[in-house]
Amino acid sequence: MLELRNLHFAVDGDDGPEGGEKREIIRGINFTFEKGKFYAITGPNGSGKTTLAKLIMGINPASSGSILFDGQDITNLSITDRAKAGIAYSFQHPARFKGITFRELLNLATGIEEEEQLVSLLMRVGICPLDFLDKIVDAKLSGGEIKKIELATTIARNPKLAIYDEPDTGIDLWTIGPMVDLLKREQKNYGTTTIVVSHNKVFLEAADEILIINGGRIVFKGVLGEAMNLLNDMSICNFKSCCEGDDQNARCFR
């Protein structure tokens, strides 16, 4: 349902746009994401994982190549048009707003005003509606609270494709398991094609397929068991030792 064809993304080199060579971040990626599957994208820092996610959402414009979504070429579509087509994006560091309540934020994001629908949505992501609807979305909220709010606004429109960039950033150990359960439930109940950019073992284990990105290219696609040797061979860290222990919040490539 999402096809990447010879996708490239380059930025200006150290000498700026007037001189020097372009620096390629994504280098000729070809891949097809199947409808209703759960994908995890991992790899060393700076390998191009988040850049690829932003290319799909349209936050970054592709330098060359094409992106097809449900058979339509969306390469030159705006972020807004991609959102209307059914693509949603959850940022690693969600925005916080001064003076706006969660109720107002949900209304802006979804157009939902009916109390019953808002309550149903919040319960869907594990939020107590009475506690959250009239809270101000500001710096007083914890990382877990703001992440739940981000998840709620992401899934509210029942997107065809949901992209989550490092969804475990800033949250505690006890929040990760329920978050994975939520994303898997959305995948199953709504047929949501899910892409998670993460180093976390819990997300990698939940994935139907893992993509390892290195140097702007896909160097592996498969399941975690098959990926272990390659992850161990990467010099950034010993993936097996930091992700096979009892710490379910183990982070790698950091």
Side-chain angles (χ1 to χ4, degrees):
M1 59 100 70
L2 176 71
E3 184 179 357
L4 311 180
R5 294 182 179 176
N6 197 28
L7 199 62
H8 288 259
F9 177 72
V11 296
D12 294 327
D14 294 337
D15 296 328
E18 301 302 326
E21 295 184 358
K22 292 276 189 178
R23 183 166 63 91
E24 239 184 346
I25 308 299
I26 297 297
R27 305 181 180 189
I29 284 184
N30 293 281
F31 191 76
T32 298
F33 295 89
E34 298 179 23
K35 178 178 174 56
K37 290 184 69 173
F38 191 118
Y39 295 88
I41 299 178
T42 192
N45 281 339
S47 60
K49 305 182 299 298
T50 292
T51 299
L52 180 61
K54 289 182 176 180
L55 285 171
I56 296 170
M57 189 67 239
I59 299 169
N60 292 333
S63 300
S64 63
S66 56
I67 303 172
L68 278 70
F69 184 63
D70 278 349
Q72 176 189 4
D73 190 336
I74 64 169
T75 311
N76 297 316
L77 289 187
S78 66
I79 298 173
T80 300
D81 288 335
R82 295 187 199 208
K84 290 178 179 178
I87 304 176
Y89 191 98
S90 179
F91 287 89
Q92 179 179 358
H93 300 288
R96 299 174 188 249
F97 303 90
K98 185 176 181 179
I100 186 172
T101 66
F102 188 21
R103 182 193 301 271
E104 293 167 330
L105 179 62
L106 280 177
N107 178 252
L108 288 172
T110 68
I112 298 174
E113 294 183 352
E114 294 79 6
E115 185 95 0
E116 186 176 342
Q117 292 185 48
L118 290 174
V119 168
S120 176
L121 174 61
L122 298 188
M123 292 179 67
R124 186 167 147 192
V125 297
I127 294 176
C128 177
L130 296 178
D131 289 343
F132 265 79
L133 271 180
D134 295 310
K135 274 193 174 185
I136 302 294
V137 186
D138 60 13
K140 294 179 181 179
L141 295 179
S142 70
E145 288 174 327
I146 197 69
K147 187 64 71 171
K148 284 183 178 181
I149 291 172
E150 175 87 348
L151 290 175
T153 56
T154 301
I155 71 173
R157 292 180 294 105
N158 297 326
K160 297 178 182 178
L161 171 66
I163 305 168
Y164 300 92
D165 184 16
E166 300 274 8
D168 54 321
T169 299
I171 64 173
D172 57 48
L173 167 65
W174 295 272
T175 305
I176 295 176
M179 180 186 294
V180 174
D181 292 341
L182 167 65
L183 300 190
K184 292 294 287 184
R185 197 162 57 244
E186 291 294 311
Q187 175 200 8
K188 178 181 178 181
N189 294 343
Y190 297 91
T192 307
T193 305
T194 304
I195 300 175
V196 176
V197 176
S198 181
H199 306 106
N200 195 295
K201 177 189 175 186
V202 183
F203 288 104
L204 303 187
E205 287 181 330
D208 299 311
E209 188 167 6
I210 293 171
L211 305 182
I212 300 177
I213 306 270
N214 199 12
R217 296 185 175 91
I218 296 175
V219 297
F220 175 87
K221 49 188 177 182
V223 296
L224 181 58
E226 299 169 350
M228 289 303 296
N229 288 336
L230 179 57
L231 291 168
N232 282 332
D233 288 342
M234 290 183 174
S235 60
I236 305 300
C237 82
N238 187 315
F239 183 91
K240 188 170 184 178
S241 66
C242 69
C243 290
E244 280 200 337
D246 294 331
D247 182 2
Q248 294 298 300
N249 197 30
R251 303 291 295 269
C252 293
F253 308 119
R254 290 296 179 93

